[in-house]
Amino acid sequence: MASIARATMAGIDESDTIRESLHQAARKAGSGLSSEEARRISTTIEKFLGLRFGRSSDPAQFILWREEQGYRRRPLEELRKQWFLDDAYRTYLDKPLDAGASWDDVFAEMMLGQDAFEKGRTRPSGVGVGPDDLRIVVRTATRADPGRAAVDGALGDVLSYGGPLMISHSWWRPGVSYDELMAQYGKVKTATVGFVIDFVDGKRRPAKLMMYQDPKTGGWWIDGYCHGNYEKADMSSARWEY
């Protein structure tokens, strides 16, 4: 926890600072990323954080960005079965989910409802930008060895051995799946991104993004996001839709 307490933070909307720090992390010796790959992965992460968690974040803009990147919507019925969407909707909106509601409306209500939940105390407000507060670890997974890299250093220790790590719920599928790329190429370049997040209530927690590269476009797909070190009293506010 000490490394998190000492983290150098930037506001969630300080996009230039966050993007530059991400780029520096991606360009560290041994990362396995070219300059262009580092630029693309850092831009993708900065856009994701700003559009989803920024102070002026707008569900319609987040949806537009996702679709422009090539993500496909997961059906509401699938989300209701897999992620217990009805229960979460009632928790955050204090009303039942209308069976006839549109995908866009439900996503917008959930996103804004979570951001405002308990007076917004659990909304992210800052991102760690110090050299020890942001780690990007790249690994090429193969059919024989499909594992992804773990975040290293003190931040990796906190992610691995801290409190419960809560997995957030994606409403999207990447345009091409990890399994499809592995079947086609026999290998997939993956990235595990570890960073520190400040929340409005003053809590500071480690977070992790899982990504993989599309070799045809050179772009990076996001296929996992979570943050951790939750105490039991905070578990009800640990779910995030993205």
Side-chain angles (χ1 to χ4, degrees):
M1 292 294 291
S3 64
I4 289 182
R6 294 194 302 266
T8 301
M9 306 302 293
I12 197 78
D13 291 306
E14 295 180 47
S15 57
D16 290 343
T17 300
I18 293 171
R19 184 168 56 252
E20 178 58 26
S21 298
L22 285 163
H23 189 263
Q24 292 300 321
R27 290 291 291 144
K28 283 185 177 178
S31 70
L33 294 174
S34 68
S35 180
E36 175 61 15
E37 287 176 320
R39 183 193 68 79
R40 294 191 68 167
I41 196 171
S42 58
T43 299
T44 297
I45 299 167
E46 174 266 315
K47 284 287 189 184
F48 169 77
L49 293 173
L51 288 170
R52 176 57 188 89
F53 299 117
R55 286 190 297 272
S56 58
S57 57
D58 173 21
Q61 290 299 313
F62 185 74
I63 290 172
L64 178 62
W65 177 74
R66 282 286 215 169
E67 292 184 328
E68 287 177 343
Q69 300 304 302
Y71 289 91
R72 297 170 293 166
R73 302 180 183 204
R74 299 176 65 182
L76 280 179
E77 191 58 34
E78 178 183 322
L79 296 168
R80 296 177 81 166
K81 291 179 179 178
Q82 185 171 354
W83 295 131
F84 305 104
L85 178 58
D86 291 77
D87 293 339
Y89 186 91
R90 188 181 292 274
T91 296
Y92 290 106
L93 281 303
D94 197 28
K95 62 180 181 180
L97 175 58
D98 182 350
S102 71
W103 195 101
D104 291 61
D105 287 345
V106 177
F107 179 81
E109 285 189 296
M110 282 293 290
M111 177 172 160
L112 297 175
Q114 286 178 332
D115 289 351
F117 187 64
E118 296 183 348
K119 299 182 179 180
R121 71 176 183 85
T122 61
R123 181 173 181 153
S125 60
V127 178
V129 293
D132 296 322
D133 313 325
L134 192 57
R135 308 285 288 181
I136 299 178
V137 185
V138 177
R139 183 179 188 276
T140 298
T142 65
R143 293 192 186 104
D145 187 5
R148 303 199 189 190
V151 177
D152 56 5
L155 181 57
D157 290 341
V158 176
L159 279 165
S160 298
Y161 305 112
L165 198 66
M166 302 304 295
I167 298 174
S168 296
H169 302 138
S170 177
W171 288 49
W172 306 87
R173 290 194 186 96
V176 58
S177 73
Y178 175 93
D179 290 342
E180 288 170 335
L181 291 177
M182 185 64 77
Q184 182 175 357
Y185 297 101
K187 61 182 181 180
V188 181
K189 181 176 278 191
T190 70
T192 304
V193 185
F195 51 101
V196 178
I197 288 186
D198 260 345
F199 290 82
V200 171
D201 64 0
K203 298 287 180 66
R204 184 170 288 181
R205 296 187 173 95
K208 181 167 64 174
L209 269 173
M210 307 295 289
M211 308 176 74
Y212 61 89
Q213 188 180 44
D214 186 334
K216 284 188 176 180
T217 67
W220 291 84
W221 298 107
I222 296 171
D223 69 330
Y225 169 69
C226 56
H227 44 260
N229 282 8
Y230 276 90
E231 299 172 356
K232 189 173 182 179
D234 293 326
M235 297 294 274
S236 65
S237 60
R239 172 178 174 138
W240 287 96
E241 318 295 308
Y242 68 97

